[in-house]
Amino acid sequence: MSRAEMKTIYGQSWDYIRRYRDEQCLSQEYMASKLGISQSTYQKIENGKINITKERLIEIANILGKEIEHFQSSQRNGLGVDEVEALKEIIALQAKEIRELKIVLGQQ
């Protein structure tokens, strides 16, 4: 898959690859080892300097415990799947707080 195709389908997945790797405190050496490539080649993947196949991206997603959708730009719309889920939780908590406040205010 060319870099242009990757960017069209997956946006800048390499930014998310690094972020998800950092979240799990995994080293580039670890990822490279799991993928059977050198650390410098893996670094180039994270920097978006080399083309990777969809299959390779799936391998990376599996190592990181993520679904391939986490890397698809059409799913992100500027936000990652994790961010969307976090925002949904925040909205639900705020809705609960509003209901509780209405109850308290109704009692006064």
Side-chain angles (χ1 to χ4, degrees), residues 8 18 20 30 62 68 81 89 91-92 105-106:
T8 300
R18 180 177 183 153
Y20 295 141
Y30 173 83
N62 288 334
I68 190 79
V81 173
E89 288 179 32
I91 291 168
L105 291 172

Side-chain angles (χ1 to χ4, degrees), residues 13-28:
S13 298
W14 47 89
D15 291 335
Y16 284 86
I17 292 171
R18 180 177 183 153
R19 190 170 101 205
Y20 295 141
R21 178 183 60 79
D22 285 344
E23 284 175 0
Q24 296 183 34
C25 300
L26 300 175
S27 67
Q28 287 185 342

Side-chain angles (χ1 to χ4, degrees), residues 24-106:
Q24 296 183 34
C25 300
L26 300 175
S27 67
Q28 287 185 342
E29 293 83 8
Y30 173 83
M31 294 295 293
S33 165
K34 294 296 259 181
L35 294 168
I37 59 176
S38 71
Q39 183 274 331
S40 63
T41 299
Y42 179 80
Q43 183 179 31
K44 290 175 185 174
I45 290 173
E46 281 194 358
N47 291 333
K49 293 184 179 178
I50 62 171
N51 299 332
I52 61 172
T53 63
K54 182 177 180 181
E55 290 75 20
R56 177 66 80 188
L57 185 58
I58 291 169
E59 284 181 85
I60 292 169
N62 288 334
I63 293 167
L64 296 172
K66 301 288 183 182
E67 297 293 327
I68 190 79
E69 290 81 20
H70 283 85
F71 303 96
Q72 290 180 330
S73 59
S74 63
Q75 294 294 317
R76 283 202 305 268
N77 294 327
L79 295 174
V81 173
D82 294 336
E83 289 91 352
V84 171
E85 290 305 314
L87 288 171
K88 286 179 183 179
E89 288 179 32
I90 291 168
I91 291 168
L93 288 171
Q94 288 178 338
K96 181 181 176 187
E97 288 177 16
I98 290 169
R99 285 191 302 274
E100 291 171 355
L101 286 171
K102 284 180 179 179
I103 292 169
V104 169
L105 291 172

